Structure formats: structure tokens, C-alpha cells
Amino acid sequence: MAVGIFDSGVGGLTVLDAVEKRMPEVPFVYFGDHAHAPYGVRDADDIYNLTIAAVERLWEAGCDLVILACNTASAAALRRMQESWVPKDKRVLGVFVPLIEALTERQWGDNSPPREVAAKHVALFATPATVASRAFQRELAFRAIGVDVEAQACGGVVDAIEEGDLILAEALVRSHVDALLRKMPKPDAAILGCTHYPLMEEQFQQALGSDVKVFSQASLVAESLADYLARRPDMLGQGTDRLFLTTGEPKRVSDNATQFLRRKITFQAA
Ligand code: DGL
């Protein structure tokens, strides 16, 4: 009954942690494509090819449903995968929609026409590829009107987190928030549109100030997934083992992951 969770690196562990807490009975298989991270500076074809290779490996591990716990892959590859690649008996879901539903005060799958919502000035922090895709603005426009979005491509933050250099990551977060505030001095809400960023949530909140509501994905995705599986229990795959797979160097990746989740995580070669 396994479910797959995919990210380019350790960022998706923020989602894994939340879904495991929400559904302790489900064995999750995590795949981190550390050998090819970061995805945020790659082009859309490259991201598509790497993502489908990872998802195929998760199917082999007995997962019929895979969550792309990676905004960059959700933004740059998911639509193309769903339209032309995912077989009928499998599902691949992204992490964008639950976040946008929360921001636009909608229940899961509410497809009513776009309407006005409380947030009027929204700051989006994401990787360069996610910002370039404009997928966030597109999904938002289906659901809300009159929302002004200012996007900040946060170059370097994912690399610093993957290297375990949190001092550099913090300095970069401050400088990206400063750059955003110069373009939009008073956002009402901020979206952390990369699953690596919840590891820096405190730093984002501090730099933005306490008046800004920060939306972070992990718990929103956990609620949506629990809801989805309650309606589609047939999508629980045949796998029974909890696994952590990486294309990177397992020892180094395990040490980094253990530091982030503050519990022992042991990755094996994918
Ligand atoms: N954590 C990923 C995301 O949510 C990927 C970051 C990257 O590899 O650049 O976008």
C-alpha cells in the first residue's frame, strides 16, 4: 500500500514528514534525485526527463500514486506527464494546487469560477524554473481575481540547503526577501513555493515581518493527500516497505537528511 514522494533533493522531506504524521499507517517511499539537484536552474525538457525517470523507479518500488513534492517539477513537467505519459492505472499529483486552494479559501476540487479573496498582494518565493514557468499565476487565475503576485526567483538557496550550509541559506533568504520588498513593500501573504524553503520558514517570517501570513506546503499537502486516499483507496500501491532512495551518495545524503528532520534517516542507492 505504498505511496511515492519525489523531490530533487532533501526539500520533499518536509512533505514526507507531514504526510507520515498524518497517515502513520501508509508506507511512503521517498526518492531524492540528489545527483541532479538543483532542478531550479534546469530547462523544462531536462526537468521532465529526470522526473519521469524518478517516477518510474517509484512505480518499481510498488507505488501507483506518486506525489511530486517538488514545485519545480510540478510547474515544469507535471502537466506534460499527465497529458501524455502517465498510464491509466497510475497517478502523479503535484504540490501546487493544495497551496493555491488554501490561499484562495477553497475546498479540494472546488472548480467554481474565480472570485475575490482576502489576499490582494502576494509574494511568491520559488526557484528560477518555477518562476519562469508562471504555473503559479496560471493556477491562481483559475481561482481568484484581483490578486497582485510578485515573484522572486531565489537563486542559490536550494544549493546551500543541499550542502548543509544554513548560514549561507539564511543570508540568501534575507537578501531575496529584501529584493522582493523593494518590488512589493506590503505583501499580505507570502508563498514558500519550493519544498526546500520550509526548512528556512522562520527566517522568511522574520525577514518579512509578523504581519505577513506565510503559506508553507507540507501540512496543506498532507491534508489533501489524506482526503484523496480516503476517496481513492485503490491508489495505494502494492509496496509494503518504507524506503529512502537517492541517486546521490547515500551516506552524505543520510547525514544531511538526519540533520534536517532531527531523526535518523537512512538512504540507499536508487
Ligand atoms: N524542492 C524543489 C521545489 O520545490 C526543487 C528545488 C530544486 O531542485 O531547485 O521546487
Side-chain angles (χ1 to χ4, degrees):
M1 54 185 281
V3 172
I5 305 284
F6 161 78
D7 184 37
S8 60
V10 291
L13 291 173
T14 57
V15 174
L16 176 90
D17 201 40
V19 295
E20 277 192 333
K21 283 188 180 129
R22 181 68 181 73
M23 288 158 280
E25 69 291 358
V26 176
F28 288 98
V29 180
Y30 187 87
F31 184 109
D33 192 8
H34 295 86
H36 304 107
Y39 278 17
V41 289
R42 294 177 179 274
D43 68 29
D45 279 345
D46 212 5
I47 295 169
Y48 175 82
N49 289 326
L50 290 169
T51 306
I52 63 173
V55 171
E56 272 176 342
R57 177 66 185 88
L58 285 166
W59 286 341
E60 261 171 46
C63 305
D64 290 342
L65 168 64
V66 173
I67 307 300
L68 300 187
C70 175
N71 292 271
T72 308
S74 303
L78 180 59
R79 186 180 282 248
R80 182 169 161 198
M81 290 167 73
Q82 287 172 333
E83 281 172 3
S84 58
W85 183 76
V86 179
K88 283 202 169 35
D89 57 338
K90 312 267 195 241
R91 287 285 180 285
V92 180
L93 302 175
V95 286
F96 250 50
V97 170
L99 187 69
I100 290 173
E101 284 175 342
L103 179 75
T104 56
E105 307 149 19
R106 280 175 187 247
Q107 297 299 321
W108 199 91
D110 169 358
N111 290 327
S112 59
R115 55 179 180 255
E116 287 205 30
V117 295
K120 297 284 180 234
H121 303 283
V122 175
L124 169 67
F125 297 95
T127 66
T130 299
V131 169
S133 75
R134 299 185 63 79
F136 178 83
Q137 288 88 331
R138 199 172 50 236
E139 293 293 338
L140 186 65
F142 291 139
R143 297 171 176 83
I145 46 176
V147 183
D148 180 21
V149 177
E150 193 63 67
Q152 177 67 28
C154 298
V157 176
V158 168
D159 306 67
I161 292 174
E162 288 291 330
E163 304 275 302
D165 188 345
L166 298 189
I167 296 178
L168 175 59
E170 183 169 345
L172 289 168
V173 165
R174 287 186 187 285
S175 97
H176 287 303
V177 170
D178 279 354
L180 184 288
L181 292 176
R182 282 198 291 277
K183 298 180 279 185
M184 178 182 271
K186 285 198 180 307
D188 333 293
I191 302 289
L192 303 190
C194 169
T195 51
H196 282 69
Y197 300 170
L199 297 164
M200 294 277 118
E201 186 167 344
E202 253 178 68
Q203 288 78 3
F204 273 102
Q205 183 75 69
Q206 266 174 19
L208 284 159
S210 53
D211 289 350
V212 181
K213 180 166 172 45
V214 174
F215 286 82
S216 162
Q217 275 164 328
S219 52
L220 299 171
V221 172
E223 276 317 308
S224 291
L225 180 60
D227 183 58
Y228 181 85
L229 288 174
R231 286 177 296 108
R232 296 296 310 269
D234 55 307
M235 287 317 299
L236 287 163
Q238 289 160 3
T240 50
D241 296 334
R242 292 170 197 267
L243 297 171
F244 289 88
L245 305 172
T246 177
T247 54
E249 205 272 291
K251 164 88 176 70
R252 198 189 69 78
V253 171
S254 303
D255 289 349
N256 205 7
T258 299
Q259 182 194 351
F260 285 127
L261 286 195
R262 299 197 178 96
R263 64 182 162 96
K264 182 97 187 101
I265 304 284
T266 307
F267 273 86
Q268 63 190 67

